[in-house]
Amino acid sequence: MGADTVVKGLRTVEDYEYETQMAQMNHQLTGMETLFVPTRPEYGFISSSLVKEVARLGGSVVGLVPDVVEKALKEKL
């Protein structure tokens, strides 16, 4: 796509530590810059693995993901 920057959302300190390593490696290999954006506190508990688990078990993910993601999860599962 020709992008030279990637934007990453961060929820926790652990996210920052992991994503910093990835950003540094990406920069070393490709020159790609990474911009980190902290999440809003009310969304800090949401992770893709938790959302997928809730959906897989038949729970509602309304309000946790955009409508298009909810629809895709329903179709996939």
Side-chain angles (χ1 to χ4, degrees):
M1 298 183 132
D4 59 3
T5 305
V6 63
V7 178
K8 296 290 234 164
L10 301 176
R11 295 172 298 137
T12 64
V13 172
E14 291 81 10
D15 285 352
Y16 176 76
E17 290 175 355
Y18 174 78
E19 294 297 347
T20 297
Q21 289 179 323
M22 294 296 292
Q24 290 169 342
M25 183 60 76
N26 285 338
H27 189 267
Q28 177 67 30
L29 295 173
T30 68
M32 179 81 64
E33 295 292 340
T34 302
L35 174 66
F36 295 119
V37 180
T39 189
R40 290 181 175 180
E42 62 265 30
Y43 300 120
F45 69 95
I46 299 172
S47 70
S48 61
S49 56
L50 283 175
V51 168
K52 287 185 275 188
E53 183 74 4
V54 168
R56 187 179 68 76
L57 294 172
S60 173
V61 296
V62 172
L64 300 177
V65 295
D67 293 342
V68 65
V69 173
E70 177 194 8
K71 181 180 177 191
L73 278 170
K74 284 181 180 178
E75 290 173 2
K76 184 174 181 176
L77 301 173

